[in-house]
Amino acid sequence: MTAGAEVTQSEREAMRAALRDFVAAEVMPSAASRDATGEFPAAAVRRLGELDAMGIHVPVEFGGLGLDTASLLAAVEEVAYGDASLASIYTAHYLGLEPILVAGTEEQKAKYLAPLAQGDLLGAFALTEPDAGSDIASMTTTATPDGEGWRLSGSKTYISNAAEAGVTVVFAKSDRAAGFRGISAFVLPAGLPGVTFSSPQDKSGIRSAPTYTVFFDDVSLPADALLGEAGTGGKLAMHVLNAARIDVAAMANGVARRALHLAVEHATDRVQFSQPLRDFQAIQLLLGEMDAAVEVSRQTALWAGGVRDTGADLRRAGSIAKYVATENCFSVVDKAVQIHGGMGFMRESEIERLFRDCRILRIYEGTSQIQLLTLAGTLTARFDRDGTAS
Ligand SMILES: Cc1cc2nc3c(=O)[nH]c(=O)nc-3n(C[C@H](O)[C@H](O)[C@H](O)COP(=O)(O)OP(=O)(O)OC[C@H]3O[C@@H](n4cnc5c(N)ncnc54)[C@H](O)[C@@H]3O)c2cc1C
């Protein structure tokens, strides 16, 4: 899909270093106050565009860097290390961009993909509805043919970046009787009459990454708003989610790496019974488990990213990467809280924010249970086809 194979290790590491510097200087110092106020990090999002980080795997002809998935994962991990909220905005941007990259016409790519990849527009992806979460086929937002175009009615909820986005990919039923095969995808520029937003939803974590309920009141869409063929939107959504789950894995890995750093730092500084915590074997066992979990998760994401670059089916690799990284992240952050003792429960400590931020990772873009169901499905299909589970 991209020119990824030509990416050198040094190019990727140079990009990682640039983002690491940016995050340390311009993101981390204000992350706690944005968590408290819920302020959208507009300046940081703009800077990601200036740093050429908004279209890392998008081909150069469409304004991206044309790098491989490992480069994208490195970028997401660095951003998440400094601020999970910014990383959530960042991965939601890529989730909005991906359907256009995969299914857009040349005209749609020129119109939307290029400004997204250059950071001039922010992306969003609107699939979930109040009564259709894991079960997307039960969505009721409807796109009705109207002359040459369509009329869109219904609502979506928990949509990241919705009010800030310049482009949102919206999934709707163009054939209500057809279930999953009745879903179509549409690309919507900002500012269409009939599109309105709730206030930002009040969340436990990633508090400066806003989500909204979005209402579509008989919105008129031109014919060229349709992404791909009518009825292929469900398949497109699943294809894109399988890829994007690896980005969520990278986000989890960035958060887990930060938690590990904070745990070692605290275990070094905090003295009890006349010695630093890190000299107690019980603490060392926790640190060892955390280090192993972080490394396994990072290697798993890189493996899945390699599968993504081959263009192969990503159901299994995407689910494994997300499941392993997000469950490990939660466990690592929880252990880091434990190592902090009472301080880990205090709003003034960074690890307390990470504990709230990381919880969403096991829920969005397919819950952990949905990842396991996907894995069981691919496993039994393999068994039925090849007579083997390996
Ligand atoms: C902060 C945040 C940001 C989000 N951003 C976006 C976004 O940008 N775009 C978007 O479209 N959506 C977004 N979402 C929605 C998110 O993807 C969904 O919340 C998620 O997919 C789960 O759907 P649900 O909340 O309806 O839970 P449900 O589907 O109601 O699931 C509830 C529980 O039941 C379990 N469950 C469901 N079905 C099964 C089953 N068949 N077998 C076993 N267990 C099952 C689930 O694992 C879960 O534990 C966001 C959500 C949040 C909270």
Side-chain angles (χ1 to χ4, degrees), residues 164-186:
E164 291 77 16
V167 181
T168 302
V169 172
V170 179
F171 296 85
K173 283 272 178 73
S174 53
D175 179 352
R176 288 198 76 155
F180 186 81
R181 288 193 174 80
I183 300 172
S184 298
F186 298 88

Side-chain angles (χ1 to χ4, degrees), residues 337-357:
V337 170
Q338 197 68 16
I339 289 171
H340 278 72
M343 179 51 75
F345 201 61
M346 296 297 132
R347 280 284 161 113
E348 70 188 86
S349 73
E350 187 179 341
I351 196 65
E352 185 273 340
R353 170 164 53 88
L354 267 56
F355 189 61
R356 286 181 287 110
D357 284 349

Side-chain angles (χ1 to χ4, degrees), residues 88 92 95 125-130 132-135 157-161 203 206 209 211 360 363-370 373:
S88 195
L95 187 59
F125 178 96
L127 180 67
T128 305
E129 298 184 1
S134 303
D135 176 17
T157 196
Y158 305 146
I159 306 306
S160 305
N161 300 349
K203 306 192 301 308
I206 55 164
T211 64
I360 186 59
I363 296 173
Y364 67 14
E365 297 197 28
T367 64
S368 288
Q369 289 72 36
I370 293 299
L373 292 176

Side-chain angles (χ1 to χ4, degrees), residues 73 77 246 253 292-306 320-321 324-325:
L73 301 182
E77 194 184 306
I246 310 171
N253 295 338
V294 170
E295 191 59 37
V296 163
S297 301
R298 294 178 86 194
Q299 295 304 328
T300 306
L302 280 174
W303 159 73
I320 290 177
V324 167

